[in-house]
Amino acid sequence: MEIDRNQFFKDCTLKICSSLEVEIFLHKAFVFLKNYIPADALFLTYYDAKERKHILLAKATEESAKLIDMAISIPSQLQIFIKRPDPETVIVGRAETHPTAAPWISKGLLEKDSSLIIVRLILDDLLIGGFIMHAEKSNAFTKQQADLISTLREPFAIALLNCIQYQELLKLKERLAEDNQFLHKELRQNIGEDIIGSDFGLKDVMDMVRYVAPLSSPVLLFGETGTGKEVIANAIHHMSPRKLGAFIKVNCGAIPDNLIDSELFGHEKGAFTGALVKKRGRFERADGGTIFLDEIGELAPQAQVRLLRVLQEKEIERVGGNESIRINVRIIAATHRDLSAMINAQTFREDLYFRINVFPITIPPLRFRKSDIPSLIQYFVKKKASAMGRKKIPSFSKDAIEHLINYQWPGNVRELENVVERALIMNRGEQLWLDEAYFKISAKSKNYQEIIEECQSEIQNEKELVLDDAISNHIRYVLDLANGKVGGKNGAAQKMQINPSTLRKKMKKLGIRFGRIKP
């Protein structure tokens, strides 16, 4: 019977391109082709050039098709087939006579007497894969059948590329789902699914969190360094209708003044030297979610003006751009500084203060919530011991816990966490003990005003000490604790509770060298 090749091509192409699921389109194609060719199976393969692997992607029989995704090794002497792929369709009467069939036979995919029609799929002179008609008996195929099959080279190549991309997207989707699940788990742990102290020292704070979380009102968190302001901000976001949106954290004191606008609001390509591509800022990334502005008291004056516009107009402009971008972001700010005093000193805008201070929450320092300390100790011991791979969870003695409760904790919860970790590092047994050395580097650093007051008192007591010498000694002491780091997290400026640029100016005036201390 004469075959209408055009109709054959059209009908089979519709089968091949009917789905992105390889099992579906390959089975439809094989059932159709079996009406024209006496085959028992259809194989689809692709060549992964990056990994240099030949992959058997799927196999179809009359009953069904299944995804295999099996690597087939290619002997080194046959690499010529990869480097110079032959576009000709190959008929193999007996599989064992064809050199590339040996790995297939060894894996039990073919019998030695199997017949094959091999159609290589080539794009831009590069091998991307192939499809193989397979019959269990020898010499089952004719040249006319091979020529007919060859007309399907292009639709099979398109289907193969689409299928590979689809499989990669599925893997990426699964990976993103796993990452999202992991991050949500981390978030639940961070906010304490159970914030430690939510029923005791932080009860009033958590009551206020529950009041404001369902709304979009700005929240301003007050509290000393290390009290857990970020944890409370996490809790507000997680309890809000925005919990599926982004939670973007910004440490306003860790970003240089000349980069703060670009970081917060983004920039256009060519806006300044080094702006090679357009970049979205933190506010754009937080659209539909929450942005947490930690240490907002460190925000530069020009950034304060632009932040005020965001709060008033609900829109931003990228640096170097002239287009207004509408955003829907909830702002949670935090500070350990006295913003009222900064307003009086004209270092913080009063209008911005009233915009962010819609719902203030003050987080009490650890010394005012000592009833939480035993629970926090237990939590940190378990967390840190697990991270260190300790099989048995150790514990502090009653005397040690009593000592920890009576300590004033100038570094708050963060300091407690560090002390617990030091104890675990120094003690490998089941009983943890304390050493006074654990607390020495946690002593609260004094700010300039405290130093000046102390020095003035000493001068009045007729002690022969120059004020600049006292300040210089203290700066050197704190720099030593910070390993020479001036700005950023755990830098000397943060420990002394002053602006990094102010500290640098003072160091320059006093002749104190910059740079980290080399070990």
Side-chain angles (χ1 to χ4, degrees):
M1 182 179 71
E2 183 98 16
I3 297 175
D4 185 340
R5 294 170 72 92
N6 289 333
Q7 190 63 43
F8 168 85
F9 177 83
K10 178 181 177 181
D11 291 344
C12 196
T13 298
L14 289 174
K15 305 292 184 186
I16 294 169
C17 299
S18 63
S19 175
L20 289 172
E21 299 281 356
V22 64
E23 301 98 316
I24 295 175
F25 81 73
L26 200 64
H27 183 248
K28 286 183 178 181
F30 177 73
V31 171
F32 175 83
L33 290 172
K34 192 167 173 59
N35 295 321
Y36 299 88
I37 298 171
D40 297 307
L42 170 61
F43 296 105
L44 182 64
T45 70
Y46 77 93
Y47 178 68
D48 187 338
K50 185 177 180 181
E51 298 292 334
R52 295 184 178 182
K53 291 180 180 179
H54 200 69
I55 309 294
L56 171 55
L57 183 62
K59 174 185 178 182
T61 62
E62 194 167 11
E63 291 76 27
S64 64
K66 63 180 180 178
L67 188 68
I68 297 178
D69 202 20
M70 178 189 295
I72 306 293
S73 61
I74 304 172
S76 56
Q77 65 270 27
L78 299 179
Q79 290 295 327
I80 190 66
F81 286 99
I82 304 300
K83 295 178 181 178
R84 297 178 186 176
D86 186 354
E88 293 297 319
T89 299
V90 178
I91 302 174
V92 180
R94 296 182 70 251
E96 67 175 349
T97 64
H98 196 270
T100 60
W104 293 65
I105 295 171
S106 65
K107 288 181 177 292
L109 298 169
L110 299 175
E111 297 295 331
K112 293 181 179 181
D113 294 331
S114 298
S115 300
L116 307 171
I117 300 179
I118 304 172
V119 183
R120 297 188 182 94
L121 304 177
I122 300 167
L123 189 66
D124 296 333
D125 295 326
L126 297 174
L127 180 69
I128 63 170
F131 69 96
I132 302 166
M133 299 300 295
H134 163 251
E136 293 179 358
K137 66 178 184 177
S138 303
N139 302 310
F141 302 124
T142 66
K143 186 177 185 307
Q144 290 78 11
Q145 292 167 345
D147 290 343
L148 185 64
I149 285 291
S150 297
T151 63
L152 301 175
R153 180 179 276 111
E154 187 173 352
F156 262 111
I158 293 171
L160 176 61
L161 290 176
N162 288 340
C163 177
I164 293 170
Q165 291 177 349
Y166 180 63
Q167 292 294 328
E168 289 176 350
L169 285 173
L170 287 180
K171 290 177 182 177
L172 180 60
K173 184 178 178 181
E174 289 176 3
R175 193 178 305 129
L176 287 173
E178 289 174 0
D179 289 347
N180 190 46
Q181 189 177 28
F182 171 77
L183 289 173
H184 275 287
K185 181 180 178 182
E186 287 290 299
L187 180 61
R188 286 193 297 271
Q189 289 177 348
N190 285 340
I191 68 169
E193 192 130 66
D194 321 327
I195 287 185
I196 308 298
S198 59
D199 294 328
F200 300 100
L202 289 179
K203 186 179 185 305
D204 291 342
V205 170
M206 291 308 298
D207 286 343
M208 298 181 77
V209 167
R210 294 184 186 98
Y211 291 147
V212 77
L215 310 176
S216 291
S217 305
V219 178
L220 180 57
L221 303 176
F222 293 97
E224 296 178 4
T225 299
T227 51
K229 295 186 288 293
E230 184 180 327
V231 174
I232 299 301
N234 256 324
I236 294 171
H237 173 73
H238 189 67
M239 295 180 186
S240 76
R242 297 170 178 265
K243 63 183 178 182
L244 297 180
F247 179 75
I248 303 297
K249 296 175 283 188
V250 182
N251 188 329
C252 299
I255 304 174
D257 292 350
N258 61 329
L259 294 179
I260 188 73
D261 280 2
S262 172
E263 284 295 318
L264 291 180
F265 310 114
H267 62 250
E268 298 290 346
K269 181 180 179 180
F272 50 84
T273 303
L276 302 179
V277 294
K278 181 173 68 175
K279 175 186 174 183
R280 293 193 310 154
R282 307 285 181 94
F283 272 91
E284 276 188 84
R285 288 165 51 199
D287 191 29
T290 304
I291 190 165
F292 174 52
L293 302 174
D294 197 10
E295 299 303 343
I296 195 169
E298 306 294 337
L299 206 58
Q302 67 270 24
Q304 292 182 31
V305 175
R306 299 189 69 176
L307 177 58
L308 186 62
R309 183 189 173 192
V310 174
L311 288 163
Q312 291 174 335
E313 308 296 336
K314 307 296 183 186
E315 61 184 28
I316 63 167
E317 280 185 14
R318 298 193 189 105
V319 176
N322 51 22
E323 177 188 358
S324 294
I325 302 170
R326 298 289 298 178
I327 57 168
N328 174 21
V329 175
R330 182 189 199 158
I331 293 178
I332 301 176
T335 184
H336 72 280
R337 306 189 69 174
D338 185 348
L339 295 186
S340 298
M342 293 181 68
I343 292 170
N344 292 334
Q346 297 185 342
T347 56
F348 197 84
R349 293 181 64 95
E350 186 176 23
D351 47 5
L352 176 58
Y353 173 74
F354 288 121
R355 285 282 181 179
I356 62 175
N357 194 30
V358 174
F359 195 86
I361 299 177
T362 300
I363 304 170
L366 190 56
R367 61 184 174 275
F368 293 160
R369 38 184 284 235
K370 294 195 172 185
S371 59
D372 297 340
I373 291 177
S375 297
L376 284 165
I377 294 170
Q378 184 178 11
Y379 170 75
F380 287 135
V381 168
K382 185 177 179 181
K383 175 184 174 183
K384 300 294 182 180
S386 298
M388 293 177 184
R390 302 273 285 265
K391 294 182 179 180
K392 291 185 177 181
I393 306 299
S395 61
F396 284 101
S397 65
K398 290 183 179 180
D399 290 342
I401 292 176
E402 189 71 26
H403 182 81
L404 293 172
I405 291 174
N406 291 330
Y407 182 61
Q408 290 304 301
W409 298 111
N412 292 294
V413 178
R414 189 178 298 128
E415 183 185 9
L416 173 60
E417 181 177 7
N418 292 341
V419 167
V420 169
E421 186 167 359
R422 285 181 214 128
L424 284 164
I425 292 171
M426 297 300 295
N427 300 283
R428 305 306 298 176
E430 295 184 25
Q431 187 75 49
L432 299 177
W433 49 270
L434 294 173
D435 189 293
E436 288 299 322
Y438 296 170
F439 300 90
K440 285 182 181 178
I441 65 172
S442 301
K444 186 178 182 181
S445 300
K446 300 168 184 174
N447 60 34
Y448 281 127
Q449 188 60 39
E450 289 173 324
I451 297 169
I452 291 169
E453 289 174 358
E454 285 186 7
C455 290
Q456 287 174 338
S457 174
E458 290 175 354
I459 290 171
Q460 289 173 358
N461 290 331
E462 299 182 347
K463 290 188 176 180
E464 296 181 0
L465 181 64
V466 178
L467 179 58
D468 279 351
D469 288 344
I471 296 175
S472 177
N473 289 338
H474 182 70
I475 291 175
R476 293 177 192 277
Y477 168 73
V478 179
L479 279 170
D480 185 59
L481 295 182
N483 194 29
K485 184 178 179 183
V486 177
K489 186 176 181 182
N490 295 325
Q494 185 185 72
K495 292 178 181 292
M496 300 173 76
Q497 300 180 13
I498 62 171
N499 192 293
S501 60
T502 303
L503 178 56
R504 290 188 182 97
K505 289 177 183 176
K506 197 67 178 175
M507 289 171 64
K508 186 175 181 180
K509 178 183 176 183
L510 296 172
I512 300 173
R513 294 179 61 186
F514 294 80
R516 287 175 177 259
I517 298 170
K518 295 182 180 180

